Amino acid sequence: MTPIITAFEASPDRGKGQARDMRVRWALEEVGQPYEVRLLSFKAMKEPAHRALHPFGQIPTYEEGELALFESGAIVLHIAQHHAGLLPTEAVARSRAINWIFAALSTVEPPIIEREAAWFTERDKPWYAEHGPMLDERVRRRLGELSARLGEHDWLDGAFSAGDLTMVMVLRRLSSTGLLGAYPNLLAYVARGEARPAFQRAFAAQLAVFTAASGT
Ligand SMILES: N[C@@H](CCC(=O)N[C@@H](CS)C(=O)NCC(=O)O)C(=O)O
């Protein structure tokens, strides 16, 4: 059965592949699973039909027969658990790889999102001069710790896994900030992820949606 995912009809990131459907597309491309995409406007995302799938009225969702999932991490994990290629088969290594999905989403992503949200909503406020650098510092602390753990390795724990896919997508949110520049191994790590043919196919697919919507 071909899974159906949801994505923005017109992504606010203008095709930069930052929206979270990109994680799901990349995972599906890595395992060679064809998929369909249902595009949604912001209005449609908040309507009851979509909220029945996603209680918070967001993208992405994932439907496969009777299964409906929301939360990009849960979807990536589901794909990785049901197809070969994104998780080791050996139990201990598999758990460690899953560990990195959670680390990306619950330890590395939150300070990045907090910084991003403050930049969008508070940067013209008087307190931002103090608050902004503090949020930068929280991100830097996590990047320093991650950089130390990655060291000179290609991937976080052995072969490329769903943990790396999720972590690369989280780090990509910093692409336009310059914050990654102090960590050459993290820059190289992100570049390695982006160079994967499956990433390229997923990126092209989401960009095509934006291009069609904007008529460029
Ligand atoms: N924790 C959720 C976050 C989902 C999320 O924030 N989706 C964004 C797009 S990347 C969205 O739908 N934003 C529109 C909105 O919240 O109204 C996940 O990882 O799937």
Side-chain angles (χ1 to χ4, degrees):
M1 180 158 305
T2 305
I4 305 168
I5 68 168
T6 50
F8 285 128
E9 180 181 82
S11 181
D13 78 351
R14 307 182 60 80
K16 293 195 177 68
Q18 300 288 10
R20 289 171 175 83
D21 59 293
M22 177 65 200
R23 305 167 181 188
V24 177
R25 291 175 185 271
W26 185 8
L28 289 163
E29 291 289 353
E30 286 284 349
V31 301
Q33 171 63 56
Y35 60 98
E36 290 171 14
V37 185
R38 188 163 61 248
L39 300 174
L40 296 173
S41 64
F42 272 90
K43 182 170 174 291
M45 282 163 51
K46 307 301 175 197
E47 283 170 0
H50 185 63
R51 279 196 193 270
L53 287 173
H54 197 309
F56 309 114
Q58 297 181 310
I59 59 99
T61 56
Y62 177 96
E63 294 155 79
E64 186 185 13
E66 292 185 353
L67 174 70
L69 295 174
F70 59 93
E71 283 299 331
S72 58
I75 299 170
V76 167
L77 179 57
H78 172 82
I79 294 165
Q81 283 179 321
H82 290 85
H83 300 268
L86 278 174
L87 286 174
T89 50
E90 192 276 317
V92 171
R94 193 174 177 93
S95 292
R96 283 204 312 264
I98 292 171
N99 196 154
W100 281 112
I101 300 179
F102 284 86
L105 298 178
S106 17
T107 302
V108 180
E109 187 168 51
I112 293 176
I113 298 297
E114 197 184 352
R115 179 194 173 280
E116 190 178 290
W119 192 85
F120 278 118
T121 58
E122 297 176 19
R123 67 182 188 279
D124 56 344
K125 303 284 190 287
W127 62 82
Y128 190 75
E130 209 173 319
H131 193 49
M134 190 188 79
L135 296 176
D136 282 358
E137 193 42 43
R138 284 190 195 154
V139 171
R140 280 199 198 92
R141 191 185 323 146
R142 286 291 177 250
L143 295 180
E145 291 161 342
L146 184 67
S147 168
R149 170 53 78 101
L150 179 65
E152 296 308 312
H153 301 291
D154 278 358
W155 307 113
L156 286 165
D157 195 332
F160 175 81
S161 77
D164 294 298
L165 181 153
T166 313
M167 190 66 81
V168 166
M169 286 309 307
V170 165
L171 295 178
R172 285 188 81 250
R173 294 195 79 98
L174 294 169
S175 297
S176 60
T177 69
L179 285 169
L180 277 176
Y183 310 94
N185 66 337
L186 295 184
L187 277 176
Y189 174 65
V190 171
R192 262 192 299 283
E194 291 176 340
R196 292 179 71 84
F199 176 97
Q200 299 285 328
R201 288 193 296 274
F203 187 87
Q206 64 78 40
L207 180 59
V209 173
F210 175 75
T211 306
S214 63
T216 53

